[in-house]
Amino acid sequence: MKYNSSIIIKGIGTYQPKKVLTNADLAKMVDTSDEWIVTRTGIQERRIAEDNETTSLMGVQAAKVALERAQISKDEIDLLIVATLSPDMIFPATACLIQQQLGLRKIPCFDLQAACTGFIYALEVASKMMQAGNYKNTLIVGSEKMSSVLNWHDRSTCVLFGDGAGAVVLSKIDTPNVGIIDSILASDGSQAEILCQPAGGSACPPTLESIQEGKHFLKMNGREIFKYAVRLMEQVSLQILEKNQLSPQDIDIVIPHQANIRIINALASRLNIPMEKFIINLSQVGNTSAASIPLALNEAFEQNKLHKNKYILLVAFGGGLTWGASLLKWF
Ligand code: ACO
């Protein structure tokens, strides 16, 4: 659909806990090594939230920076979407808690759960709501306290993830064909069990047994996820390029979900896009799920890589399975 207006990213902000957990620290906790983690994943360290650094608190801090950089007051925000798989509570929505802490008006606030693809899902939902409705400025927050759902005795998962938050302010402007140009979202619930948190929800409410069996921790079939990740991110990237009559060479910057450097290397070679065009920060932050793309986008912003009219491809995959891509023309 063609619009006379566009939805642009007006400001970006992030928050990372101060506490750093290195691979050497992890090697003291489980049977692993810096060498294994670096060669299999590319991750060197990650940030871990303190008890009082909740998903909402991290989201609030990131949002404050995004609002300031956008030069938009909190009273001008008329929609808030929070992408997270580690909400403060199952309900109410973490978005309502962030609304309260930021002092936003009585606007619609809701959580969106699409695991690591959450930020891309939120961009699509927000931009379509803004084009169709009366929302001029939207706040999107991707915030995760992954450390709260990890089994710190399971070396196959605890080395992969980190905590943090990223936020963007979206604004509607009268110029057409810039900002968020297009998005493609997809999911496949038949593979739900290869990456999930089995207990704690209504299917398996927490009991002494479920906790003793560790069912409230994140479970993952890493090898299966790896294969899906490469294939689906390649597929959706090519789909969005073709749909917008672009070739991989037209893309100036790729911001992939930061799960594993080997997944990103494989994606780059399948798309035939040089690694120099990829923004990579996973060595310092690990996999921060829904915060991953905005944290990497902020990296590109701070490295002064986001210039007017540059084409930027965001691409992610995660539990669900979910996957998706967004094409941006920077404004
Ligand atoms: N340290 C040392 N050895 C380990 C560790 C560790 N931390 N973890 C696993 N191993 C061992 C395994 O036990 C196995 O040993 P074995 O051969 O004796 O059985 C060996 O290392 C190889 O294990 P693999 O699982 O085959 O290792 P692989 O090369 O596949 O790497 C990894 C594992 C890093 C998890 C990889 O499969 C991966 O990155 N998958 C994708 C994961 C991912 O992206 N998840 C996030 C999805 S996003 C979201 O929605 C949250």
Side-chain angles (χ1 to χ4, degrees):
M1 174 118 70
K2 290 276 169 242
Y3 300 102
N4 293 326
S5 53
S6 296
I7 310 301
I8 61 160
I9 295 182
K10 194 105 190 276
I12 312 169
T14 59
Y15 176 82
Q16 288 184 270
K18 284 212 166 48
K19 185 173 164 190
V20 175
L21 186 71
T22 64
N23 292 349
D25 296 330
L26 278 163
K28 291 180 201 143
M29 297 159 59
V30 287
D31 181 15
T32 190
S33 65
D34 176 54
E35 198 263 335
W36 192 95
I37 302 172
V38 170
T39 51
R40 298 293 177 118
T41 72
I43 300 166
Q44 293 175 354
E45 60 185 43
R46 68 289 290 141
R47 301 297 179 100
I48 301 295
E50 300 288 354
D51 289 348
N52 66 343
E53 286 181 305
T54 55
T55 296
S56 65
L57 181 138
M58 293 190 285
V60 165
Q61 298 307 324
K64 282 182 179 169
V65 179
L67 285 166
E68 198 182 316
R69 285 181 175 163
Q71 296 193 306
I72 296 263
S73 106
K74 65 183 173 57
D75 297 330
E76 292 173 88
I77 294 294
D78 25 43
L79 175 66
L80 166 63
I81 305 178
V82 176
T84 187
L85 63 70
S86 50
D88 283 14
M89 296 179 249
I90 287 190
F91 78 92
T94 299
C96 297
L97 307 178
I98 291 180
Q99 172 197 31
Q100 192 273 329
Q101 291 172 55
L102 279 175
L104 303 181
R105 290 181 296 111
K106 306 262 181 299
I107 55 167
C109 299
F110 61 93
D111 286 4
L112 190 159
Q113 218 282 58
C116 302
T117 322
F119 186 78
I120 287 180
Y121 266 62
L123 275 187
E124 168 72 343
V125 171
S127 61
K128 292 291 154 58
M129 283 180 75
M130 292 171 81
Q131 288 290 15
N134 288 325
Y135 306 104
K136 195 163 176 352
N137 299 299
T138 294
L139 188 56
I140 296 182
V141 174
S143 184
E144 298 282 17
K145 190 165 176 171
M146 296 304 290
S147 58
S148 69
V149 297
L150 293 177
N151 179 350
W152 290 100
H153 299 292
D154 174 11
R155 67 177 182 174
S156 70
T157 52
C158 75
V159 304
L160 303 175
F161 298 92
D163 299 334
V168 295
V169 174
L170 301 184
S171 293
K172 190 170 180 174
I173 59 164
D174 288 335
T175 317
N177 304 324
V178 293
I180 303 171
I181 301 289
D182 199 6
S183 297
I184 296 180
L185 308 179
S187 50
D188 177 5
S190 73
Q191 300 304 318
E193 78 290 347
I194 67 174
L195 180 50
C196 63
Q197 186 182 335
S202 59
C204 183
T207 58
L208 203 52
E209 288 85 59
S210 76
I211 289 171
Q212 277 165 351
E213 288 166 24
K215 287 187 174 167
H216 55 295
F217 292 127
L218 175 148
K219 297 270 180 306
M220 184 180 77
N221 180 335
R223 265 186 219 178
E224 279 302 298
I225 292 278
F226 194 104
K227 283 187 273 178
Y228 277 110
V230 175
R231 195 165 356 115
L232 297 174
M233 288 209 294
E234 178 200 11
Q235 203 181 77
V236 76
S237 300
L238 293 176
Q239 274 169 358
I240 202 164
L241 291 176
E242 192 185 337
K243 193 169 157 223
N244 291 277
Q245 283 117 45
L246 294 172
S247 75
Q249 286 65 45
D250 295 318
I251 296 298
D252 299 293
I253 292 178
V254 185
I255 302 189
H257 172 47
Q258 309 281 316
N260 185 321
I261 192 66
R262 291 188 294 139
I263 293 176
I264 298 175
N265 281 332
L267 179 68
S269 96
R270 283 171 176 228
L271 291 176
N272 199 16
I273 298 181
M275 275 301 273
E276 299 80 71
K277 290 190 176 183
F278 282 69
I279 303 293
I280 317 269
N281 63 348
L282 63 81
S283 65
Q284 305 306 305
V285 299
N287 181 346
T288 56
S289 186
S292 168
I293 298 249
L295 279 171
L297 186 65
N298 183 68
E299 194 93 6
F301 170 74
E302 289 186 349
Q303 289 172 12
N304 199 22
K305 288 186 171 164
L306 304 176
H307 300 142
K308 201 168 176 181
N309 291 332
K310 293 262 187 210
Y311 277 115
I312 298 157
L313 176 67
L314 314 182
V315 58
F317 71 96
L321 296 177
T322 56
W323 62 100
S326 290
L327 179 67
L328 314 181
K329 191 173 184 186
W330 202 254
F331 186 76

